[in-house]
Each structure stands twice: as structure tokens, then as C-alpha cells.
Amino acid sequence: MAAIIDEILGIEAFIKSVVPGAVVEKQTVPLQPTPGLFVVRFLMESRTDETAYHYRIERDYQVIYYSANPQAAFPVMDALSNAIYDAQRIVATGSRLNALNYSQPLRTDTDKAATTNAGYATLGILRITSRQSRTQQSYPLIQNVNSRFN
């Protein structure tokens, strides 16, 4: 099973493989983000029984991409979304990449009159699935097997 921090590091590596030179922050949104920045944050986890031998873990991560204008975000987020469907897994953790759903870019500055430092943030939700084996009770090994013929 992959720990949350391992999955975040795996997502970072995946983003950097799709968008060379990308800067990725983990868990913390900077006060003044710059265009081209990704932020990956853990949102929630749910666990579901599947069999008596394992259970499924689904985790949602928020992927935020900052751009100078809304049009710059679409090719990057599309490339990332398409790569997720192509790769299907984070190799380092073995977790399955389900989908990246994202919204329209939103203006990040609060002062609508200020246009010089205006930036945009595109919010995405990435769902990852992994399976975990349950701890199984162990039994002593059979030491001897004898056969008896009548």
C-alpha cells in the first residue's frame, strides 16, 4: 500500500514527466503563486471492502495549476489528463490513476481593478485507487506427512 506522502511524490514525478520543468508544491498553496506552478494537496480518502483478502483505498488529490491567462491552462491540463489515461499507474507506488477532472480557470487576485499581477488558477481533482491486502493469520507449517496403506 502506498502512503499518502509516497503518492504525492509519485504525482509530482508524474506531473514533471508530462510537463518538463514544472514546479510542484506539495500540500501548501503559496501566498503569491507564479504562472506555471502546480500545487498537489491531499483531500480525502475512502476505503471499501472487496474480498476477505483485500480492500480498496480511493484517495482524492487536488491539483491546482497557475497560469498567466485562462487560455494557457487548457493545453497543460489537457496534456496532464490525457497522460493519466495513457499511463494508468504511478509506477513508484503501483497506485491506479483513475481520472483528472478540472474546472475552468479562476482569477486569483481579489482586487478586480488590479490587472498587472492578475493570475488564474485551474482546480482539478485526481482520483487514485490502490488495493491493500489484509493481514492474514499464519499457521505452523506441516512438518511430516505419512501415508498408510491397508
Side-chain angles (χ1 to χ4, degrees):
M1 176 182 90
I4 292 172
I5 191 65
D6 293 334
E7 281 187 345
I8 290 174
L9 293 172
I11 294 168
E12 175 186 26
F14 185 80
I15 290 171
K16 288 181 176 183
S17 73
V18 175
V19 184
V23 176
V24 180
E25 290 284 333
K26 295 167 281 300
Q27 284 301 108
T28 306
V29 178
L31 293 175
Q32 298 205 347
T34 57
L37 173 71
F38 283 92
V39 177
V40 177
R41 301 182 338 156
F42 170 74
L43 290 179
M44 65 175 283
E45 171 184 290
S46 65
R47 295 176 184 230
T48 306
D49 279 333
E50 286 196 336
T51 70
Y53 300 107
H54 75 275
Y55 54 94
R56 183 179 65 236
I57 302 168
E58 292 180 333
R59 293 188 178 129
D60 290 341
Y61 294 90
Q62 184 179 54
V63 178
I64 307 169
Y65 177 68
Y66 292 93
S67 59
N69 57 57
Q71 298 81 7
F74 294 127
V76 173
M77 294 302 280
D78 278 344
L80 192 58
S81 184
N82 291 338
I84 284 168
Y85 281 104
D86 289 343
Q88 296 184 345
R89 293 210 177 273
I90 295 177
V91 177
T93 63
S95 300
R96 181 178 172 85
L97 297 164
N98 291 340
L100 173 68
N101 300 307
Y102 61 93
S103 68
Q104 69 178 9
L106 305 169
R107 194 176 179 102
T108 59
D109 62 341
T110 56
D111 182 9
K112 299 297 182 197
T115 57
T116 55
N117 292 329
Y120 290 83
T122 305
L123 306 175
I125 302 295
L126 174 61
R127 174 155 291 178
I128 293 181
T129 302
S130 60
R131 285 177 171 71
Q132 175 65 37
S133 298
R134 297 181 194 274
T135 304
Q136 301 295 316
Q137 184 176 1
S138 61
Y139 298 95
L141 297 175
I142 297 173
Q143 300 297 321
N144 243 341
V145 176
N146 297 318
S147 63
R148 219 171 65 175
F149 294 100
N150 290 335

